[in-house]
Amino acid sequence: MARIVVIGAGMGAMAAAARLAVAGHRVTVYERGGTYGGAVRRFERDGFGFDTGPGLLHLPAVYRDLFVKTGKKPLEDLVELTQVDPASRHVFADGTRVDLPNASRAGTVSALDAALGAGAGERWGDFLGRAREAWDRTRRPLLEEPQAADTSPLAREPYPALKAPFLRRRTTTLDQIGRRELHDLRLVALLDSYAWAYGFDPATAPASAAVLPYMEQTFGTWYVKGGIRALADAVYERCLERRVEFAFGAEVTAVREKDGRTVGIELAGGEVVEADHVVAGAPVPALYGDHVVAWERQDDWPRYQHDVTGRVTVCLALRGAREAEAAHRTVVHEAGDHPTTTVLRPDDPSLRPDGNHESVTVTATVNVYPEHDWSEIAEEMVKAAESAVPGLRDRLLWQEVRTPDDTLRETGVPEVPGPALAGDGGDFLPAANRSPLPGLYFAGGWSHPGGGLAHAGMSGALVAGLIVEGDDFRGSR
């Protein structure tokens, strides 16, 4: 039985902790804050509840596998999952609206043809076909296997280029691919919105980000009753059942090293905790930026070359009942430099005082630098949300705004990490799960295979596999 220390109580870290405990190891989680879940948080006031992190779940199979492998009760016995249908409603700058069904390619093609004109659906369907090729080429190394020491194959762009003799210049970004292949600015806006939702600026994200809409439209979109925080509650309870110990308000200030190997951690009060393995679930940039890991090793740590993006969230408490025809998720696409705004309206009695009120969460991803007037951006977002919520201004009781500054305070970095993407020379690959320092592992959104609920859960499975099976581990099955 090994002594294992886990830094941070985020979703990926807890997923690793539960799996390691089942394998017979003694696991203790040290979390500097007062709660678990990492970015999966909830804001509550006056009987209203809001997810301030992710609001929807994709690839629920990741968490189904976690619960199957760590106990008797499956995921659906602990949380109620429902498919969101329509998966999303889109409101474009010219006023056009379209509802996209959940996990139905034929239905999506038909809906786009009806709303945007004949041929729009076919162009989108053809694009998803090429996105599937990129998915098939990268799915296993990007999601199911530990990151290889040689990442050069993933540095190459997997998205298939069209063979057109009239193309005079190379197109490499997602936005460029959309403009070249979709021939409708509304379809381009639709494509770009998937990148923004995962924290990427489509103007700089590689073409391989095409796997993001493919993944969502193929495998579906799910809602957890009670909000995504209920999923974090279930993972935390599973950890406790497996006798994982938690220490909250315990800041780790250093990973201790001896003879070139990890031997434990040091806490803010000076206490030293010995360990055979350390799993770091905190953001990797914060770990080496704050010298938690040896700074002299900085040349060994991964670089983050792409734009720094963060999320602004506005929680709206509304009087009046949610109308029957309301969509759970509406994406508002505005012209110019206005952020793409996502409006979440879950029909969930546990998130509102009663049937005569409604809780609405409005989110947008923005480039963090240069600095912004967050109140101005929040106002733009609320204005955009009026396209999704009839009579919003007259119904508004109060609002709460959360910005990248809050993310920085809670996690140590202002941005929310996106999933791993191939291409662009490897600049969109996160840290490997096995760090350059033996005995130290990375789990969570800042490590392979990157950010997002499903990806964080996968990282926990990969770390547990590396520790339990060692060099024989070849990936999740």
Side-chain angles (χ1 to χ4, degrees):
M1 178 175 68
R3 300 164 300 175
I4 298 177
V5 161
V6 178
I7 304 173
M11 298 297 282
M14 289 198 296
R19 290 175 182 271
L20 289 167
V22 166
H25 300 298
R26 191 174 71 201
V27 184
T28 303
V29 178
Y30 293 87
E31 165 60 50
R32 73 172 188 169
T35 189
Y36 50 85
V40 179
R41 294 176 179 262
R42 173 179 289 169
F43 176 74
E44 295 179 327
R45 175 181 161 188
D46 301 338
F48 293 90
F50 309 86
D51 278 325
T52 58
L56 295 169
L57 177 63
H58 307 291
L59 292 176
V62 173
Y63 288 92
R64 291 191 181 109
D65 181 71
L66 171 65
F67 281 86
V68 166
K69 300 289 178 58
T70 60
K72 294 181 179 180
K73 289 187 177 180
L75 176 62
E76 274 83 354
D77 281 3
L78 302 171
V79 298
E80 182 178 332
L81 293 175
T82 56
Q83 282 193 297
V84 177
D85 204 0
S88 55
R89 174 173 293 165
H90 293 263
V91 180
F92 296 101
D94 65 355
T96 305
R97 293 173 177 250
V98 60
D99 287 356
L100 300 184
N102 199 333
S104 171
R105 181 166 173 174
T108 296
V109 168
S110 296
L112 290 173
D113 275 341
L116 307 186
E122 181 180 2
R123 291 194 299 276
W124 182 258
D126 289 344
F127 162 77
L128 287 185
R130 291 184 286 276
R132 179 179 179 175
E133 291 186 45
W135 169 266
D136 290 340
R137 292 171 181 173
T138 60
R139 175 184 58 83
R140 184 142 183 88
L142 275 186
L143 298 180
E144 299 172 1
E145 298 175 345
Q147 191 179 97
D150 178 13
T151 60
S152 58
L154 291 175
R156 296 191 291 269
E157 176 57 62
Y159 184 84
L162 291 180
K163 296 180 179 179
F166 57 84
L167 292 177
R168 296 295 183 184
R169 62 188 181 90
R170 188 182 178 200
T171 55
T172 60
T173 70
L174 184 70
D175 186 69
Q176 288 173 332
I177 289 293
R179 292 174 184 275
R180 188 184 80 183
E181 299 181 7
L182 297 175
H183 309 298
D184 187 319
L185 290 180
R186 294 167 298 183
L187 288 178
V188 175
L190 173 63
L191 172 60
D192 288 354
S193 69
Y194 285 94
W196 285 117
Y198 284 91
F200 296 118
D201 184 338
T204 57
S208 64
V211 301
L212 302 177
Y214 170 80
M215 179 180 69
E216 185 171 320
Q217 293 193 10
T218 300
F219 301 109
T221 301
W222 302 76
Y223 176 69
V224 180
K225 185 177 180 181
I228 295 295
R229 181 65 183 182
L231 177 63
D233 294 340
V235 175
Y236 174 68
E237 292 295 331
R238 178 53 56 89
C239 285
L240 295 180
E241 290 175 11
R242 301 279 72 84
R243 299 184 180 180
V244 175
E245 296 183 1
F246 285 81
F248 294 104
E251 182 180 2
V252 176
T253 56
V255 172
R256 294 180 66 86
E257 174 187 349
K258 183 179 180 180
D259 299 328
R261 180 178 175 80
T262 303
V263 294
I265 61 168
E266 184 173 334
L267 300 175
E271 179 186 355
V272 174
V273 181
E274 296 181 349
D276 299 299
H277 304 279
V278 173
V279 177
V284 176
L287 286 171
Y288 67 77
D290 294 338
H291 296 207
V292 177
V293 294
W295 182 250
E296 62 267 20
R297 295 177 176 273
Q298 60 180 313
D299 290 338
D300 293 334
W301 305 105
R303 302 298 186 193
Y304 297 90
Q305 305 288 350
H306 47 87
D307 292 337
V308 177
T309 59
R311 292 199 179 103
V312 180
T313 301
V314 185
C315 306
L316 303 176
L318 305 183
R319 64 170 64 88
R322 177 184 186 271
E323 67 273 17
E325 67 274 14
H328 188 120
R329 173 175 55 170
T330 300
V331 182
V332 182
H333 310 266
E334 294 197 295
D337 295 329
H338 297 284
T340 299
T341 301
T342 299
V343 183
L344 296 181
R345 305 179 65 189
D347 188 11
D348 190 338
S350 67
L351 300 181
R352 60 189 182 229
D354 52 50
N356 293 318
H357 293 84
E358 182 184 6
S359 61
V360 174
T361 306
V362 184
T363 62
T365 303
V366 298
N367 287 307
V368 174
Y369 304 113
E371 295 184 0
H372 299 278
D373 181 340
W374 298 123
S375 61
E376 182 178 319
I377 288 180
E379 177 59 27
E380 289 184 34
M381 293 164 57
V382 173
K383 183 178 179 181
E386 293 182 75
S387 300
V389 185
L392 187 155
R393 296 287 184 179
D394 293 335
R395 298 176 58 194
L396 183 61
L397 294 171
W398 51 262
Q399 69 181 45
E400 177 76 14
V401 179
R402 291 177 53 84
T403 75
D405 292 337
D406 296 299
T407 307
L408 174 63
R409 185 182 67 255
E410 294 170 354
T411 70
V413 290
E415 65 264 44
V416 178
L421 297 175
D424 206 22
D427 286 346
F428 286 78
L429 297 177
N433 301 115
R434 184 188 278 117
S435 85
L437 179 64
L440 173 64
Y441 301 84
F442 294 139
W446 284 97
S447 63
H448 181 75
L453 279 172
H455 293 73
M458 293 176 197
S459 78
L462 291 173
V463 166
L466 288 168
I467 293 176
V468 173
E469 300 183 31
D471 292 337
D472 293 332
F473 182 62
R474 293 293 180 266
S476 302
R477 293 182 293 275

